[in-house]
Amino acid sequence: MEQEKRGQWTSNFGFLMAAIGSAVGLGNIWGFPYKMGANGGFIFLIIYLAMVSFVGIATMLGELTLGRKYGMGVIGTYRKISEKYTWIGWLGWFSGFLILSFYSVLGGFTLRYFIGFLLELFSSGAGFGGADSGAFFGGFILNAPMSILFHALFMATTVYIVMGGISGGIEKFSAIAMPTLFVMLVIVVIRSITLEGSFVGLEFMFKPDFESLKEIGLMRVLKTAAGQMFFSLSLGMGCMITYGSYLSKKENLEWNATLIPIADTAIATLSALAVLPAVGAFIYQGVEGVSFGAGPGLLFVTLHRVFSVGMGGAMGNFFGAFFYFLVFIAAVTSSISLLEVCTAYLIDRRVEKGLEPNRKKITLIMGTVIFFLGFPVAMDGLGAGKAGGALIDIPATIFGMQEVRVAFDCWLDFYDMIAEGVFMPLGAMLMSIIIGWKLKTTIIKDEVEESPGIKMKAYNFWDICFKYIVPVAMFFVLLGQLDDFFGLGIF
Ligand code: TRP
């Protein structure tokens, strides 16, 4: 009865599309290609695969299983395990607000670029006003009303889909969007690797680069891979707990938990093949201002140039529109999962009290709160807006050991530090410890085997993951993130 009110996936395929949709997002298309290239190429890929195999899949299994077992969102699930763990649920819930508020601003950027290239297709100069890609981006992010407008459009799309409910909104959208996205991505990959000089990008990606590995240090590369894996799989804040809570008892959790990370990793690799060979090709062809840069520059400035100057003409505009639309779709299927985490808690509370869920109203309220939370992110031009100096800058001495600098260049970094830097690794670490040591891994086995005819296949492996591998890996992610943000100089 309660389950009926909360909603359920209509099929395992629909669930998979929604969960893979959550995982596949800006992290895959933007973060992964660059991080792979800059952190040892092929070696990074191998390390990343190991991280997914030994940490990612188990964490995914843990989240999905807890969600299905307790049939609640992230706060309800931890509360049901024990009142004294409720606060871990709150960490995840709160992270949802923070991440979505900046994710939506970035998602708005992708929408702006899609519309820009679409307009250019019809009339030259209509989309980007004839500005150079760097100048356009610089102007756009400093134009606060514009950023807010597109942030609003992105958020409205997200709210609209989540309002439709689990099967009627999220599942329906993802079941169409994800296969479409896959086909589009393959088309972009083919275009990208057939450009003259694409081998420069392929080399950047795949060549085992021991030199840069040595330079960066293995620990740092490990940390980067772990952090990336974690964000890319939507783990650590209860997204997958929430999605698991809508899964029918019929479905095979162990298999689903394995398939989602495999699909996410495959799409991350494809994304790298879509982006880097195109960038490499135009470096080879000597197009000015194209490089394997990092951060917002890669997705917006460099790729804008790749399409507008490198490819140029109608073809450039067409592929530009095509590509940014694809990125937009990938971002939406992720943002709906973030909003659902926030929404589910309030729905759970109402359903528990025997009230109507009131999904539409709750979703609208949550969406509005997050929209406003995103204002500072949309308004500070990613740090380019301020007149020198950091947003927050507190030099401090910790334990009298060394000078530590607590500095954030922009609000995005600040939000990200709290959520991705602290709350999420902490959440994943605690979840794993609770499963491995407190509830014992048998709780996972029992729930997996609730499904008729299904036997758990790799119990011993999961047991080792929950008890040792995941907690240790998460501890390092936590340490690594704090190190990055506070400049502690550990790694
Ligand atoms: N995984 C998504 C990406 O790669 C982002 C995302 C969605 C996410 N839900 C999440 C990240 C939950 C962390 C936690 O872009």
Side-chain angles (χ1 to χ4, degrees), residues 404-443:
V404 172
R405 191 148 218 138
V406 187
F408 303 98
D409 286 338
C410 61
W411 283 93
L412 193 157
D413 285 356
F414 183 57
Y415 285 4
D416 192 38
M417 201 292 284
I418 301 175
E420 219 196 320
V422 184
F423 288 3
M424 289 159 51
L426 191 63
M429 185 173 86
L430 294 172
M431 181 192 79
S432 183
I433 292 172
I434 290 171
I435 292 176
W437 298 95
K438 172 104 185 152
L439 303 171
K440 306 284 191 260
T441 310
T442 44
I443 197 170

Side-chain angles (χ1 to χ4, degrees), residues 14 55 79 105 144 157 164 182 213 234 243 253 363 388 425 434 441-442 450 455 481:
V55 183
R79 201 194 57 224
V105 173
T157 312
F182 182 74
L213 189 70
S234 304
Y243 272 18
L253 284 165
T363 307
I434 290 171
T441 310
T442 44
E450 277 282 301
K455 284 267 165 275
Q481 307 272 38

Side-chain angles (χ1 to χ4, degrees), residues 93-103 373 415 418-419 423:
W93 192 68
F94 192 59
S95 301
F97 284 85
L98 291 174
I99 295 186
L100 184 50
S101 69
F102 70 73
Y103 206 85
L373 200 59
Y415 285 4
I418 301 175
F423 288 3

Side-chain angles (χ1 to χ4, degrees), residues 462-483:
W462 305 126
D463 196 40
I464 295 171
C465 290
F466 287 126
K467 281 200 174 105
Y468 307 103
I469 306 178
V470 179
V472 170
M474 284 305 132
F475 178 75
F476 275 103
V477 174
L478 190 61
L479 209 61
Q481 307 272 38
L482 293 175
D483 181 39

Side-chain angles (χ1 to χ4, degrees), residues 280-300:
F282 295 114
I283 292 178
Y284 175 79
Q285 294 177 25
V287 174
E288 212 186 307
V290 176
S291 73
F292 297 115
L298 175 66
L299 188 61
F300 297 107

Side-chain angles (χ1 to χ4, degrees), residues 22-23 25-28 103 231-232 234-235 237 239 334 337-338 424:
S22 167
L26 296 172
N28 299 58
Y103 206 85
F231 187 82
S232 186
S234 304
L235 296 173
M237 55 148 298
C239 243
S334 297
S337 71
L338 288 159
M424 289 159 51

